[in-house]
């Protein structure tokens, strides 16, 4: 009896049950109890179909998690229960012969129920219901045959329930391993799908499936946010995205704060990415539990407006779902509000592209976001493409932009660098002040006449006339090219 108690305690603390003492060392009472147990178990084996029927019916009535599975395919559930009972009851009679098969069956049940999305609590409850039903039938059969033998079952009760606990642990472990594999597979599918959408390589036939997988409307309005560290600046480990402070319409859990949370660094797909760019997460990670799949194992995501992230080697992209849809332009100031609310660490560059219609256009949205990112100042900042279109023109054709800068501003390069920089700074301030020498002087802490003298010197050196619209446009673009492309 002390050995039985120690075995029970070990199971409760997660250890495997201690091996039973050799038969020669067991008490006569224990030996008689084992004989009573075997005799009753053989009767149960002979009536397994009836026992299976009763357990399946009890599961249907008492365990809601199993009802959908039973309604869907009662015969399949019946075979699963019968298979488990046959090996488990057989283990009571011939432990060595049935032990491995019983373990395999329990592991298989844990894996298949995880794939079907049956809650783990329901699966464990089913095993305990089966254990209770088997034990009660053992007691009833012993009482029917010889009521005096019932007291002998006390000697093996702990062993029987240790067996039930052991298999509950096997089922739970197999279930969690399968759940992690499913989560890993689902997140990699999402990561690959988001990457294909952003690359513009997703097939039109796959867009509907992508919408269902990501929980996004196929015909919604979207924009893409691109984020990168400043060139030459400190690189953040795993890159990432800035802490976001978005309008309420776009608020949601950050990708690594919950499931998918979103890709690759997604979501809802996870942090900067559950799988590093070009790599994959091992099947045992990530550590958190993902949302259960639909029956049959099909992944799904609940609709959400939280940004959906995808992290590349140097740039992180966020898919932003906007208001509006087909025939509805949405809020024209929405992107401006997002750019204003974006809170990024110092040295981080962020570019927000123009809005596009439909998931199929996300490839174009990503290219627009990358253009906006290239228009960001080297020291960092946020650029909304729609508000910096002249800069976008320059960075979209770097060779032509550099040629324009050399043609318009090249004569200034013959000056002393400090002298040249003063003229360029004055010219930039004057343009930013809408051609007001007074306001430009206030910005530069100099007299308006000083501003005008510097502008006249620029005109003399370059042959440009700042009052001529064409020249003013070329000078403005040349300054943008010098600022964005040089270095």
């Amino acid at each position: 009896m002390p050995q039985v108690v120690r075995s029970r305690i070990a199971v409760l603390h997660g250890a495997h049950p201690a091996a039973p003492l050799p038969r020669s060392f067991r008490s006569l009472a224990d030996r008689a109890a084992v004989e009573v147990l075997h005799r009753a178990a053989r009767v149960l084996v002979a009536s397994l179909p009836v026992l299976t029927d009763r357990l399946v019916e009890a599961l249907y009535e008492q365990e809601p998690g199993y009802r959908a599975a039973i309604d869907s395919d009662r015969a399949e559930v019946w075979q699963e229960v019968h298979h488990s009972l046959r090996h488990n009851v057989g283990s009571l009679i011939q432990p060595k012969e049935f032990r491995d098969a019983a373990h395999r069956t329990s592991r298989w049940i844990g894996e298949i129920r995880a794939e079907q999305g049956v809650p783990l609590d329901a699966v464990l409850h089913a095993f305990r219901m089966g254990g209770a039903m088997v034990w009660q039938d053992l007691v009833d059969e012993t009482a029917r045959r010889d009521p005096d033998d019932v007291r002998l079952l006390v000697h093996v009760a702990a062993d029987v329930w240790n067996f039930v606990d052991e298999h509950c642990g096997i089922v739970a472990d197999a279930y969690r391993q399968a759940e992690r594999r499913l989560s890993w597979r689902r997140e990699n599918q999402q990561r690959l799908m988001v990457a294909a959408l952003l690359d513009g390589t997703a097939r039109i036939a796959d867009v509907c499936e992508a919408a269902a997988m990501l929980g996004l409307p196929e015909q919604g309005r979207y924009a893409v946010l691109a984020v990168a560290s400043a060139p030459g600046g400190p690189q953040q480990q795993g890159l990432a995205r800035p802490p976001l402070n978005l309008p309420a319409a776009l608020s949601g859990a950050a990708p690594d704060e919950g499931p998918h949370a979103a890709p690759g660094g997604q979501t809802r797909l996870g942090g900067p990415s559950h799988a590093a760019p070009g790599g994959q997460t091992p099947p045992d990670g990530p550590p958190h539990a993902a949302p259960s799949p639909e029956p049959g194992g099909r992944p799904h995501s609940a609709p959400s407006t939280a940004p959906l992230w995808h992290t590349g080697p140097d740039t992180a992209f966020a898919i932003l779902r906007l208001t509006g849809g087909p025939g509805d332009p949405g809020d024209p100031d929405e992107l401006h509000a997002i750019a204003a609310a974006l809170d990024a660490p110092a040295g981080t560059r962020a570019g927000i592209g123009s809005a596009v219609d439909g998931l199929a256009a996300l490839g174009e949205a990503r290219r627009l976001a990358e253009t906006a990112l290239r228009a960001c100042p080297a020291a960092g900042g946020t650029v909304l493409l729609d508000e910096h279109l002249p800069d976008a023109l320059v960075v979209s054709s770097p060779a032509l932009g550099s040629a324009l800068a050399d043609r318009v501003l090249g004569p200034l390069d013959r000056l002393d660098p400090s002298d040249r920089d003063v003229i360029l700074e004055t010219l930039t301030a004057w343009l930013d002040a809408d051609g007001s020498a007074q306001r430009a002087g206030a910005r530069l802490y100099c007299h308006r006449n000083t501003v005008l003298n510097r502008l006249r010197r620029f005109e003399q050196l370059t042959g440009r006339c700042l009052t001529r619209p064409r020249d003013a446009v070329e000078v403005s673009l040349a300054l943008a090219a010098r600022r964005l492309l040089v270095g």
Side-chain angles (χ1 to χ4, degrees):
M1 181 61 70
Q3 183 275 328
V4 172
V5 174
R6 286 196 301 271
S7 172
R8 177 67 170 172
I9 294 175
V11 170
L12 292 177
H13 286 79
H16 288 294
L21 294 174
R23 276 191 169 298
S24 58
F25 289 93
R26 297 180 71 100
S27 68
L28 294 177
D30 284 346
R31 181 177 299 177
V34 170
E35 293 175 355
V36 169
L37 175 67
H38 287 180
R39 186 166 56 243
R42 290 189 187 94
V43 175
L44 263 62
V45 169
S47 60
L48 272 183
V50 175
L51 179 59
T52 303
D53 288 339
R54 289 167 48 213
L55 182 52
V56 170
E57 192 60 34
L59 287 174
Y60 189 84
E61 293 177 357
Q62 302 176 34
E63 180 44 67
Y66 264 78
R67 285 177 192 158
I70 295 174
D71 284 335
S72 175
D73 193 343
R74 178 178 285 265
E76 187 269 338
V77 175
W78 193 95
Q79 288 294 339
E80 171 192 305
V81 172
H82 185 269
H83 201 61
S84 178
L85 288 174
R86 179 162 58 87
H87 286 97
N88 292 341
V89 175
S91 295
L92 299 178
I93 306 171
Q94 297 175 297
K96 293 182 179 180
E97 289 78 358
F98 282 91
R99 176 184 173 85
D100 290 342
H103 284 187
R104 286 195 301 270
T105 299
S106 295
R107 281 193 294 269
W108 174 78
I109 291 174
E111 292 173 355
I112 199 69
R113 290 305 171 212
E115 292 175 0
Q116 294 173 343
V118 177
L120 176 57
D121 286 347
V123 181
L124 295 179
H125 184 210
F127 262 75
R128 294 188 178 102
M129 287 176 62
M133 188 172 290
V134 167
W135 175 251
Q136 187 60 52
D137 281 13
L138 290 173
V139 172
D140 292 345
E141 172 57 26
T142 301
R144 184 190 65 80
R145 186 181 185 92
D146 187 346
D148 290 339
D149 286 345
V150 172
R151 60 184 175 80
L152 293 174
L153 291 180
V154 173
H155 295 268
V156 294
D159 289 329
V160 172
W161 284 106
N162 283 346
F163 180 88
V164 174
D165 286 346
E166 177 188 14
H167 280 261
C168 284
I170 292 171
V171 168
D173 184 62
Y175 186 101
R176 294 188 181 104
Q177 289 186 20
E179 192 174 45
R180 285 195 292 268
R181 288 195 299 271
L182 290 169
S183 174
W184 170 74
R185 187 182 309 146
R186 177 168 55 252
E187 288 166 353
N188 274 279
Q189 288 174 342
Q190 291 177 329
R191 178 178 59 84
L192 294 173
M193 183 61 73
V194 170
L197 289 171
L198 290 172
D199 290 341
T201 56
R203 299 182 305 171
I204 296 298
D206 294 335
V207 173
C208 182
E209 179 183 353
M213 179 187 299
L214 303 177
L216 297 172
E218 183 178 353
Q219 299 302 326
R221 288 179 70 249
Y222 300 96
V224 171
L225 164 68
V227 183
S229 297
Q235 298 295 314
Q236 300 175 13
Q237 184 68 24
L239 182 60
R241 32 187 216 281
L244 294 182
N245 177 21
L246 295 175
L250 286 174
S251 63
D256 56 353
E257 291 177 355
H260 336 287
Q266 295 142 359
T267 78
R268 289 177 331 167
L269 296 177
S273 182
H274 286 319
Q280 291 192 355
T281 305
D284 287 341
H288 61 264
S292 298
E294 295 173 353
R298 292 184 58 84
H300 70 281
S301 293
S304 174
T305 57
L308 190 64
W309 286 91
H310 179 78
T311 303
D314 303 306
T315 306
F317 298 96
I319 299 174
L320 307 178
R321 180 181 171 186
L322 307 178
T323 58
D328 179 4
D331 183 358
D333 296 325
E334 187 172 10
L335 287 177
H336 177 80
I338 292 173
L342 188 64
D343 180 19
T348 299
R349 299 158 57 236
I352 302 176
S354 303
V356 299
D357 293 323
L359 284 177
L362 283 179
E364 177 63 20
R366 178 191 62 84
R367 287 186 284 274
L368 294 174
E370 287 181 323
T371 300
L373 186 63
R374 290 196 298 271
C376 284
T382 300
V383 166
L384 177 59
L385 182 65
D386 291 347
E387 297 179 354
H388 294 79
L389 292 176
D391 292 352
L393 286 174
V394 170
V395 298
S396 294
S397 183
L400 292 178
S402 297
L404 178 62
D406 291 342
R407 179 180 177 184
V408 175
L409 305 177
L412 299 181
D413 292 334
R414 294 192 291 268
L415 300 175
D416 181 85
S418 61
D419 196 13
R420 177 198 64 203
D421 292 344
V422 168
I423 293 178
L424 290 177
E425 182 183 21
T426 302
L427 186 59
T428 300
W430 180 75
L431 289 171
D432 289 343
D434 297 327
S436 170
Q438 185 74 35
R439 293 201 300 272
R443 294 185 182 186
L444 299 172
Y445 302 101
C446 63
H447 195 274
R448 64 180 298 275
N449 289 341
T450 302
V451 172
L452 293 175
N453 289 335
R454 292 173 181 173
L455 295 179
R456 278 194 293 270
R457 188 180 181 202
F458 170 80
E459 291 178 329
Q460 292 168 357
L461 291 171
T462 62
R464 303 285 167 171
C465 179
L466 294 175
T467 59
R468 186 184 302 134
R470 181 185 182 91
D471 285 356
V473 170
E474 289 185 352
V475 169
S476 178
L477 292 175
L479 286 171
R482 178 67 65 95
R483 171 171 49 86
L484 296 170
L485 301 177
V486 173

